[in-house]
Amino acid sequence: MNELTKRVVAFREARNWKQFHNPKDLAISLNLEASELLELFQWKSSEDAISDKYNDLSDELADVFYYTLLMAHDVGIDLEKALLDKLEKNEMNYPVQKAFGSNKKYTEL
Ligand SMILES: [Mg+2]
């Protein structure tokens, strides 16, 4: 993760783009990239979108990851720790014996 973060930060620094990357605009950009990902599925079955737009899907996922790494870096979040902490919370909210095979939100389990 650190190597990837160093790489995306170096990419940005080389272009002098940090000046545009305040947390609000990074959050907006992350969301826009997630929307571009979503757009690939519009009016198609999941299977068709994945088979027809596989390279685009890869690009949009990478774009979301790019902004996620930059935002975590800029606001000082250890993304690896954040994910592990969140998984722990989800394990508490969704105990296997209650959540197995269920699509209910934890508040409804
Ligand atoms: Mg994109």
Short mmCIF file of all heavy atoms in Angstrom, two decimals, residues 32-33 36-37 59-60 63-64, ligand 1:
data_model
loop_
_atom_site.label_atom_id
_atom_site.label_comp_id
_atom_site.label_asym_id
_atom_site.label_seq_id
_atom_site.Cartn_x
_atom_site.Cartn_y
_atom_site.Cartn_z
N LEU A 32 -17.11 10.96 -8.44
CA LEU A 32 -17.31 11.01 -9.89
C LEU A 32 -16.75 9.76 -10.55
O LEU A 32 -17.35 9.21 -11.48
CB LEU A 32 -16.68 12.27 -10.48
CG LEU A 32 -17.37 13.58 -10.10
CD1 LEU A 32 -16.55 14.77 -10.61
CD2 LEU A 32 -18.78 13.64 -10.63
N GLU A 33 -15.60 9.32 -10.08
CA GLU A 33 -15.02 8.10 -10.65
C GLU A 33 -15.88 6.89 -10.33
O GLU A 33 -16.05 5.99 -11.16
CB GLU A 33 -13.58 7.89 -10.15
CG GLU A 33 -12.60 8.96 -10.62
CD GLU A 33 -12.47 9.10 -12.12
OE1 GLU A 33 -12.89 8.20 -12.87
OE2 GLU A 33 -11.94 10.14 -12.58
N GLU A 36 -18.57 6.93 -12.76
CA GLU A 36 -18.14 6.42 -14.07
C GLU A 36 -18.14 4.89 -14.07
O GLU A 36 -18.51 4.25 -15.06
CB GLU A 36 -16.74 6.95 -14.42
CG GLU A 36 -16.76 8.44 -14.76
CD GLU A 36 -15.38 9.02 -15.04
OE1 GLU A 36 -14.39 8.26 -15.12
OE2 GLU A 36 -15.29 10.25 -15.18
N LEU A 37 -17.76 4.32 -12.95
CA LEU A 37 -17.82 2.87 -12.79
C LEU A 37 -19.28 2.40 -12.90
O LEU A 37 -19.59 1.45 -13.64
CB LEU A 37 -17.23 2.49 -11.42
CG LEU A 37 -17.31 1.04 -11.00
CD1 LEU A 37 -16.39 0.18 -11.85
CD2 LEU A 37 -16.93 0.90 -9.53
N ASP A 59 -10.12 0.32 -15.51
CA ASP A 59 -9.70 1.73 -15.42
C ASP A 59 -10.47 2.50 -14.36
O ASP A 59 -9.89 3.27 -13.59
CB ASP A 59 -9.91 2.44 -16.77
CG ASP A 59 -8.82 2.13 -17.77
OD1 ASP A 59 -7.79 1.55 -17.39
OD2 ASP A 59 -9.01 2.48 -18.96
N GLU A 60 -11.78 2.32 -14.31
CA GLU A 60 -12.59 3.09 -13.35
C GLU A 60 -12.33 2.63 -11.92
O GLU A 60 -12.28 3.47 -11.01
CB GLU A 60 -14.08 3.00 -13.70
CG GLU A 60 -14.46 3.55 -15.07
CD GLU A 60 -13.92 4.94 -15.37
OE1 GLU A 60 -13.54 5.68 -14.46
OE2 GLU A 60 -13.87 5.29 -16.57
N ASP A 63 -9.23 4.30 -11.00
CA ASP A 63 -9.45 5.73 -10.71
C ASP A 63 -10.00 5.92 -9.29
O ASP A 63 -9.58 6.84 -8.58
CB ASP A 63 -10.44 6.33 -11.73
CG ASP A 63 -9.81 6.55 -13.10
OD1 ASP A 63 -8.58 6.56 -13.21
OD2 ASP A 63 -10.59 6.71 -14.07
N VAL A 64 -10.93 5.08 -8.90
CA VAL A 64 -11.48 5.16 -7.55
C VAL A 64 -10.38 4.91 -6.52
O VAL A 64 -10.25 5.63 -5.52
CB VAL A 64 -12.65 4.15 -7.36
CG1 VAL A 64 -13.05 4.04 -5.90
CG2 VAL A 64 -13.86 4.56 -8.22
MG MG B 1 -12.48 7.55 -14.78
#
